[in-house]
Amino acid sequence: MPLRVVLAEDNLLVREGVTSLLSTYDDIELVDACSDMVELMASVAAHGPDVVLTDIRMPPGHTDEGIQAARRLQHEAPDIGVVVLSQYVEPAYALDLLGNGSRRRGYVLKDNVDDVDRLATALRTVASGGSYIDDDVVDALVRGRRRSLGSPLTRLTARETDVLAELATGRSNAAIARALGISEHAIEKHTSVIFAKLGLAEKTDVNRRVMAVLLFLAGRPSETAEHC
Amino acid sequence: MPADHQYALHGTPVFDEERERLHLLVVYDVVTGATAVVVIVMTYVFIARTPWLPLLAVLVALAASLMAAGFRPIARGDLEGAVRRLAVANWSIALAAAAIATFAWPLMVLAALLPAVLAPPYVPRRRLGLYVAASLAVALGVATIGLLQDFSGFEDQLPTWVPPAVVIFFTPFMAWMVIETVLQNSTRLHAALSHTLAANVQLRQSEEVLAKQAESLQASRARLVAATDRERRRVERDLHDGAQQRLVAVGLRLRLTQDLCRRDPDAAIQALAALREEVHAARTELRDLAHGVYPAVLSQHGLGAALGAAADRCPIPVGVDADNVRRFDRQVEATVYFCCVEALQNAAKYAGAEARVQLTIDFDGDQLGFTVADDGVGFDTTEVPEGDGFANLRDRLGATGGRLVVDSRTGRGTTVTGTLPAVPR
């Protein structure tokens, strides 16, 4: 069963480009391509896709229509995943998207859309209930947190910081182990230590873990997204 | 509604002073009249029982009543009305008394002139002429009646010492009223004049200050406009030299790659990979340029997020403390953002490669403030006038009612602090 995707992107060239890119994957089927938020919501109602792939800035307002669409879908159709394809590397946008929980939500930078498998991985992860945050966004978050006064990140070792960044992308322990070249067991141990050092309650569910880490990195540890 | 008159407007403290003054004068005049009545009655009782005396007493009493009738208009604020009554009373009694007691004509001349001397503060200029003319006419009439007739023969009925005694007794009273009135008029005129002069001097000084301020505002505006133009040119230049050139190069390489595709597909694939790098670089440049013009993240998410990104782009390390900054209106956020960015650029240029920068934003409920502090080489503020680097910041902040403070010591780093009034959204 191919993954059914609806695309929303107001720029013609990018829309064509992403369409072509997705057509190279056998397990992904682009059901419809829209150019503004109104069309998107109508298309979702008509086609019932598994994942929505959307730009942030679209007509009518050219502000954060993609994020608004994600919020609406959270209420109206919570089983549909949303991957936002954005030109904004600033973490504030990603946090906006995940404000209502990280389940079935992904954030990929347009800059990296030509990185062959990134987009496909994001779509697949989100469709199966997980979360995906672009590495570059996480990097910006980590850098930001390190910069702020008296950052607790200074308590972590370099390896622990790497693991933390990986946790923030939403990857599973297995995927992190592969990415860093260490065992899953080591990942689990690192994770416990990290959470202890940062004073965070440990979460077993991957989605809750992502939220906890992201919120921490954004400097809002008191908020917990319990409605993941 | 009483009419405006020459010196004072109804309702002002000056008017109340005038009112007080007139009130006193009328009291004085009435008392003089009453005294005269008493003297006349006593003369009748103790000195000479001539029927002219009671007649005179009645006439003086009537005149005094008419004057006293001026109290009500004074209370109402109709000062001219009171003066009118006083004038008519004085003139009438002057003529009547001169007709009957001819020896008293010098006193009555004074009585006739009093209205003309009293009137100026209370009577509008156009009617003042009437009072003066009437006073002159009555004075002339009094002198004529006093000197040229004696139908009553009243003087002969009195002991010879009485007429001189009366005149000598009442002269100081009458003279005093006239002198006092004239003195007061001139004193007040003098005071009003010096007040006006002082006010003029102050006005001139204020004008000078305002002119200077206007000049400096104009200069500031001109600088801002010039800065905007420079920015535009810079953007155009960066676009032209950077992204545009890259795209031209990419176009050329694509053309070449097209040819390669058939001849040497492997080489073509490599060329395309290189091209992707070029495109990435162009995108980054364009993004930075867009940030320089106006970063979208600033309008969407505010100062915290935007300054974090700006700090990232700074070549020397920057610590940012702006996590819980609220949202303010566009112009305030833009001012603070661009001032901070410029301060960061200054630090990157002048503080030295080893320096570290700390950027702080705070809001005290009234004023939004930013501080960009580096621990670099600093400069001597007394030696170097701050130069262009800070003029722009000052202008930007000044345009929104803010101020800039620059503190630096050679070897100890530089701290730039800006504040501006702000209301959270």
Side-chain angles (χ1 to χ4, degrees):
Chain A
M1 261 287 286
L3 213 155
R4 301 172 70 248
V5 175
V6 166
L7 169 67
E9 165 61 61
D10 61 329
N11 181 289
L12 176 67
L13 285 175
V14 177
R15 201 165 60 235
E16 305 272 284
V18 172
T19 304
S20 305
L21 193 66
L22 290 178
S23 67
T24 66
Y25 295 101
D26 296 328
D27 61 332
I28 298 177
E29 180 195 344
L30 187 64
V31 178
D32 196 8
C34 320
S35 57
D36 65 51
M37 177 147 148
V38 176
E39 271 185 42
L40 172 64
M41 299 313 285
S43 179
V44 166
H47 298 282
D50 301 310
V51 182
V52 164
L53 177 62
T54 172
D55 189 5
I56 287 191
R57 210 149 113 162
M58 280 192 291
H62 294 280
T63 51
D64 64 347
E65 280 68 19
I67 312 258
Q68 292 171 31
R71 277 196 210 119
R72 274 180 65 177
L73 288 172
Q74 185 84 9
H75 288 122
E76 293 169 19
D79 285 334
I80 299 184
V82 176
V83 172
V84 164
L85 193 61
S86 161
Q87 68 264 52
Y88 299 121
V89 69
E90 290 92 355
Y93 292 93
L95 288 164
D96 240 7
L97 174 67
L98 304 174
N100 290 334
S102 62
R103 176 175 283 273
R104 296 190 202 279
R105 292 291 179 269
Y107 193 97
V108 174
L109 289 182
K110 270 190 196 175
D111 270 12
N112 298 326
V113 76
D114 56 348
D115 180 338
V116 169
D117 291 319
R118 210 181 279 228
L119 188 54
T121 310
L123 288 168
R124 291 182 199 121
T125 310
V126 163
S128 58
S131 359
Y132 183 95
I133 313 299
D134 197 298
D135 291 339
D136 290 346
V137 174
V138 172
D139 282 348
L141 264 175
V142 171
R143 273 202 307 277
R145 199 68 170 104
R146 235 193 243 123
R147 266 197 308 266
S148 55
L149 294 173
S151 168
L153 283 189
T154 51
R155 298 180 212 146
L156 302 181
T157 67
R159 175 56 97 192
E160 284 164 358
T161 311
D162 289 340
V163 173
L164 182 71
E166 292 291 325
L167 290 171
T169 62
R171 293 194 181 100
S172 64
N173 284 356
I176 300 176
R178 273 199 304 278
L180 294 181
I182 53 182
S183 71
E184 264 193 65
H185 184 64
I187 301 292
E188 280 162 31
K189 284 184 68 180
H190 278 304
T191 307
S192 301
V193 171
I194 290 168
F195 272 66
K197 279 191 185 176
L198 299 180
L200 298 172
E202 187 154 0
K203 314 267 186 233
T204 44
D205 178 77
V206 172
N207 287 325
R208 288 179 196 269
R209 197 169 68 183
V210 163
M211 279 315 293
V213 172
L214 283 171
L215 287 171
F216 169 79
L217 286 174
R220 304 178 216 165
S222 53
E223 286 173 83
T224 48
E226 288 307 318
H227 46 285
C228 262
Chain B
M1 203 34 207
D4 293 333
H5 46 71
Q6 285 174 286
Y7 291 176
L9 285 168
H10 186 55
T12 62
V14 180
F15 184 85
D16 289 336
E17 271 177 46
E18 301 285 338
R19 199 203 320 228
E20 281 297 308
R21 222 187 117 231
L22 186 59
H23 191 94
L24 275 168
L25 271 164
V26 172
V27 167
Y28 192 81
D29 218 357
V30 169
V31 165
T32 310
T35 313
V37 170
V38 167
V39 165
I40 295 169
V41 166
M42 298 232 293
T43 312
Y44 179 73
V45 168
F46 294 116
I47 301 181
R49 296 284 166 113
T50 149
W52 290 111
L53 282 169
L55 177 61
L56 201 55
V58 166
L59 288 171
V60 173
L62 277 173
S65 316
L66 182 55
M67 283 183 227
F71 285 133
R72 203 146 346 120
I74 290 179
R76 265 205 320 264
D78 177 15
L79 301 188
E80 196 195 336
V83 168
R84 214 175 16 250
R85 283 166 178 71
L86 199 136
V88 168
N90 270 15
W91 291 328
S92 318
I93 197 58
L95 287 167
I100 297 175
T102 53
F103 62 86
W105 76 262
L107 287 175
M108 294 302 112
V109 165
L110 286 175
L113 294 180
L114 184 63
V117 161
L118 178 65
Y122 306 107
V123 165
R125 191 161 295 181
R126 59 180 183 280
R127 281 202 278 281
L128 191 57
L130 271 165
Y131 281 78
V132 170
S135 292
L136 279 172
V138 169
L140 185 61
V142 158
T144 312
I145 296 174
L147 287 167
L148 296 182
Q149 65 80 42
D150 191 8
F151 76 90
S152 66
F154 174 51
E155 195 168 350
D156 305 323
Q157 297 167 8
L158 293 171
T160 38
W161 61 269
V162 170
V166 164
V167 173
I168 289 170
F169 178 73
F170 279 102
T171 297
F173 283 85
M174 305 299 296
W176 173 244
M177 271 207 293
V178 173
I179 291 172
E180 167 68 9
T181 309
V182 172
L183 267 177
Q184 278 205 13
N185 280 2
S186 81
T187 313
R188 280 165 50 267
L189 193 59
H190 186 80
L193 266 168
S194 20
H195 184 75
T196 310
L197 276 170
N200 267 359
V201 169
Q202 261 194 352
L203 203 63
R204 200 133 307 152
Q205 284 177 343
S206 302
E207 273 177 10
E208 275 177 25
V209 169
L210 280 171
K212 278 211 192 78
Q213 277 183 350
E215 248 186 72
S216 123
L217 272 172
Q218 192 121 344
S220 175
R221 271 168 66 185
R223 282 198 301 272
L224 280 169
V225 169
T228 313
D229 287 343
R230 268 201 309 274
E231 273 300 299
R232 273 191 236 260
R233 282 199 297 277
R234 187 183 68 77
V235 169
E236 190 274 331
R237 206 173 41 235
D238 286 352
L239 275 172
H240 182 269
D241 295 346
Q244 231 171 324
Q245 303 283 50
R246 275 195 211 274
L247 288 173
V248 166
V250 164
L252 288 169
R253 283 223 216 170
L254 278 171
R255 183 74 192 84
L256 294 169
T257 310
Q258 255 180 297
D259 295 336
L260 268 180
C261 279
R262 253 180 266 274
R263 287 189 287 119
D264 187 352
D266 289 323
I269 292 174
Q270 273 186 316
L272 286 171
L275 275 165
R276 276 178 57 203
E277 297 284 324
E278 276 295 308
V279 169
H280 266 270
R283 248 211 314 269
T284 308
E285 264 181 33
L286 279 169
R287 190 202 299 141
D288 286 347
L289 193 58
H291 275 279
V293 173
Y294 195 97
V297 69
L298 177 64
S299 55
Q300 199 68 30
H301 291 107
L303 282 167
L307 287 172
D312 262 349
R313 286 195 294 282
C314 189
I316 55 178
V318 180
V320 177
D321 179 15
D323 274 339
N324 295 317
V325 179
R326 306 151 77 168
R327 299 306 307 270
F328 298 90
D329 86 51
R330 233 167 203 273
Q331 203 186 16
V332 167
E333 285 186 338
T335 304
V336 172
Y337 176 79
F338 285 110
C339 284
C340 288
V341 164
E342 192 166 334
L344 285 177
Q345 282 167 354
N346 283 346
K349 263 192 277 187
Y350 301 119
E354 309 289 307
R356 244 198 125 257
V357 187
Q358 181 64 29
L359 184 142
T360 317
I361 306 284
D362 56 76
F363 180 60
D364 69 4
D366 226 357
Q367 301 267 327
L368 180 62
F370 67 86
T371 308
V372 176
D374 70 66
D375 58 3
V377 299
F379 63 94
D380 187 341
T381 50
T382 58
E383 218 179 85
V384 180
E386 279 129 19
D388 269 337
F390 296 112
N392 206 20
L393 284 173
R394 243 180 258 282
D395 283 339
R396 261 193 209 274
L397 279 169
T400 50
R403 36 189 303 267
L404 183 79
V405 175
V406 177
D407 188 21
S408 187
R409 258 173 287 252
T410 324
R412 308 284 270 319
T414 307
T415 302
V416 176
T417 311
T419 48
L420 69 161
V423 175
R425 272 200 228 171

